[in-house]
């Protein structure tokens, strides 16, 4: 097993209300959560402070998006400074839903990553190919281009604050998980790309997590792969079974 700490993110997306969030907080508090796993919940922005106040301090809270500057006339946006101000220390950026539903470009995502890191947040940048790209044999080309746009913007000395999420778009919310072998193949190539284009040290220490229809049933097999350092979980993070996914290495 690698020396990288296992990392699980629960991405709640645009789900939940106070009552439902209370139920999630309850099952996470009861756990028990393996102390060898770093756990972070991605919470809708209007509930960030609520979740932060109620979740155990050992569980991180992430915004699901933020803008690329600290403040100003950007109606509807929130900044890393605001996320930090309410006690949260993480942000998910470049999720495929931001890319594909809201039209975010590689450039914008890179700029957001740079600003969030410079403001002292930890960042989970997301990359992943669409089904037609995979079928056309373009998986590597697509994920390397997405990764390059992010890596170029990561400031010196900030790599410890980055957890990369590989989420093939065809596996998100579809029930079609990448097989452990399919996921490992891409994770291994991403790590090799980091070794060649950033440094062997960054490649060795940076966690690369898998997202896309991760469940309590498939999480253990995925976690066994050498370059899969955890998961980013959507639908299954809203249910008590999520605790099994968090504890997938036990
Ligand atoms: P699902 O686990 O619902 O497939 O979502 C994955 C995801 O997009 C996590 O960010």
């Amino acid at each position: 097993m690698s020396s990288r700490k296992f990392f699980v993110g629960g991405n709640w997306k645009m789900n939940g209300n106070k009552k439902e969030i209370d139920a999630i907080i309850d099952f996470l508090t009861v756990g028990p959560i393996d102390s060898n796993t770093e756990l972070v919940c991605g919470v809708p922005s209007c509930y960030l402070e609520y979740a932060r106040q109620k979740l155990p301090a050992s569980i991180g809270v992430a915004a699901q998006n933020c803008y690329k500057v600290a403040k100003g006339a950007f109606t509807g946006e929130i900044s890393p400074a605001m996320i930090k101000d309410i006690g949260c220390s993480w942000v998910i950026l470049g999720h495929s839903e931001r890319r594909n539903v809201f039209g975010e470009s590689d450039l914008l995502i890179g700029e957001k990553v740079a600003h969030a890191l410079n403001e002292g947040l930890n960042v989970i940048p997301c990359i992943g190919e669409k089904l037609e790209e995979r079928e056309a044999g373009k998986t590597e080309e697509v994920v390397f281009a997405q990764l390059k746009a992010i890596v170029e913007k990561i400031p010196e000395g900030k790599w410890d604050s980055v957890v990369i999420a590989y989420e093939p778009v065809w596996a998100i919310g579809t029930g079609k998980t990448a097989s452990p072998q399919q996921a490992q193949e891409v994770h291994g190539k991403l790590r090799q790309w980091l070794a060649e284009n950033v440094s062997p040290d960054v490649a060795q220490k940076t966690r690369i997590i898998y997202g896309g229809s991760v469940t309590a049933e498939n999480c253990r097999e995925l976690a066994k792969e050498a370059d899969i350092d955890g998961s980013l979980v959507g639908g299954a993070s809203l249910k008590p079974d999520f605790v099994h996914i968090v504890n997938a290495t036990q």
Side-chain angles (χ1 to χ4, degrees):
M1 210 164 142
S2 86
S3 57
R4 297 179 292 272
K5 186 166 186 173
F6 196 68
F7 184 103
V8 175
N11 180 5
W12 299 355
K13 308 194 179 184
M14 197 176 72
N15 291 298
N17 51 36
K18 279 194 183 174
K19 197 167 158 232
E20 288 164 357
I21 289 171
D22 284 346
I24 296 172
I25 289 167
D26 277 351
F27 72 66
L28 291 177
T29 305
V30 172
I33 300 296
D34 185 345
S35 60
N36 293 316
T37 299
E38 183 167 9
L39 171 59
V40 172
C41 293
V43 177
S45 54
C46 59
Y47 297 120
L48 280 169
E49 190 167 23
Y50 183 76
R52 180 60 290 163
Q53 284 171 356
K54 292 198 141 196
L55 277 168
S58 57
I59 300 178
V61 175
Q64 298 173 8
N65 184 28
C66 68
Y67 199 49
K68 61 175 179 174
V69 295
K71 62 178 179 172
F74 302 101
T75 303
E77 295 295 305
I78 62 170
S79 71
M82 293 170 178
I83 295 166
K84 277 186 71 184
D85 190 40
I86 56 168
C88 302
S89 49
W90 287 87
V91 64
I92 299 168
L93 289 171
H95 190 277
S96 78
E97 287 142 22
R98 298 303 315 171
R99 293 174 185 268
N100 299 315
V101 183
F102 300 99
E104 292 193 9
S105 66
D106 278 348
L107 177 63
L108 177 61
I109 293 160
E111 290 171 340
K112 289 179 174 196
V113 169
H115 178 64
L117 288 169
N118 279 327
E119 290 282 309
L121 282 182
N122 299 298
V123 177
I124 305 168
C126 306
I127 58 176
E129 82 288 358
K130 295 182 192 163
L131 183 59
E132 61 267 29
E133 293 165 336
R134 173 164 282 259
E135 286 175 345
K138 292 189 169 160
T139 300
E140 273 176 53
E141 186 187 320
V142 170
V143 297
F144 288 170
Q146 291 172 337
L147 183 60
K148 182 167 183 280
I150 290 162
V151 163
E152 280 172 353
K153 294 286 199 301
I154 295 180
E156 192 81 26
K158 289 289 186 184
W159 272 98
D160 288 342
S161 302
V162 177
V163 174
I164 296 167
Y166 167 61
E167 300 204 301
V169 180
W170 49 271
I172 295 177
T174 57
K176 270 198 227 168
T177 327
S179 68
Q181 296 70 29
Q182 279 175 318
Q184 165 59 30
E185 190 184 359
V186 179
H187 281 235
K189 285 179 177 156
L190 292 170
R191 200 175 301 288
Q192 191 186 340
W193 189 95
L194 289 176
E196 287 165 8
N197 294 278
V198 185
S199 72
D201 176 55
V202 162
Q204 194 281 326
K205 73 182 182 187
T206 302
R207 288 168 294 179
I208 307 176
I209 61 174
Y210 167 81
S213 298
V214 175
T215 64
E217 286 72 46
N218 61 29
C219 61
R220 283 174 193 281
E221 291 304 309
L222 287 160
K224 282 183 194 156
E225 296 293 338
D227 292 296
I228 300 180
D229 304 313
S231 53
L232 186 56
V233 186
S237 72
L238 305 168
K239 310 210 179 84
D241 256 9
F242 182 52
V243 172
H244 296 297
I245 301 178
V246 175
N247 295 338
T249 58
Q250 271 184 342

